[in-house]
Amino acid sequence: WDHPEGALQQQQFWRIFEACLERLPPQQARIFMMREFVELETDEICQAVGLTQNNLFVSLHRSRLRLRECLENNWFTEGTQP
């Protein structure tokens, strides 16, 4: 309750982030979530989705680029910066 405006902005950010995540190809979104939110190791992810480490790293790179672009277009450029 100390910073209700900050909490509201954070909620708005996560809504936009979720929308951006949903725009990723399903495999990329799954891999990104496994790595960044579930914090699985490279070998665990590769085994679960059937990718080589190189393909995993390429997929993570692409998903991060797409998320960054989406967030830049839908969060940071609309003046809703925290």
Side-chain angles (χ1 to χ4, degrees):
W1 296 109
D2 291 335
H3 305 290
E5 287 182 28
L8 180 60
Q9 285 182 345
Q10 188 175 20
Q11 287 176 344
Q12 291 170 339
F13 171 81
W14 285 112
R15 276 190 230 124
I16 291 172
F17 180 84
E18 277 187 54
C20 290
L21 190 62
E22 289 175 5
R23 292 180 186 165
L24 291 178
Q27 178 81 347
Q28 281 185 358
R30 180 178 178 209
I31 289 169
F32 180 83
M33 292 298 292
M34 292 171 85
R35 173 60 130 209
E36 302 301 334
F37 286 89
V38 181
E39 297 180 350
L40 294 177
E41 296 293 326
T42 299
D43 292 335
E44 293 174 296
I45 299 170
C46 289
Q47 200 169 43
V49 297
L51 289 177
T52 65
Q53 285 188 3
N54 286 338
N55 286 340
L56 172 67
F57 296 142
V58 168
S59 183
L60 285 169
H61 177 73
R62 289 178 180 168
S63 64
R64 289 176 182 135
L65 287 175
R66 287 180 175 179
L67 286 170
R68 178 181 175 178
E69 180 181 2
C70 182
L71 288 171
E72 285 176 348
N73 292 335
N74 296 291
W75 177 253
F76 294 109
T77 58
E78 292 186 11
T80 56
Q81 298 176 13

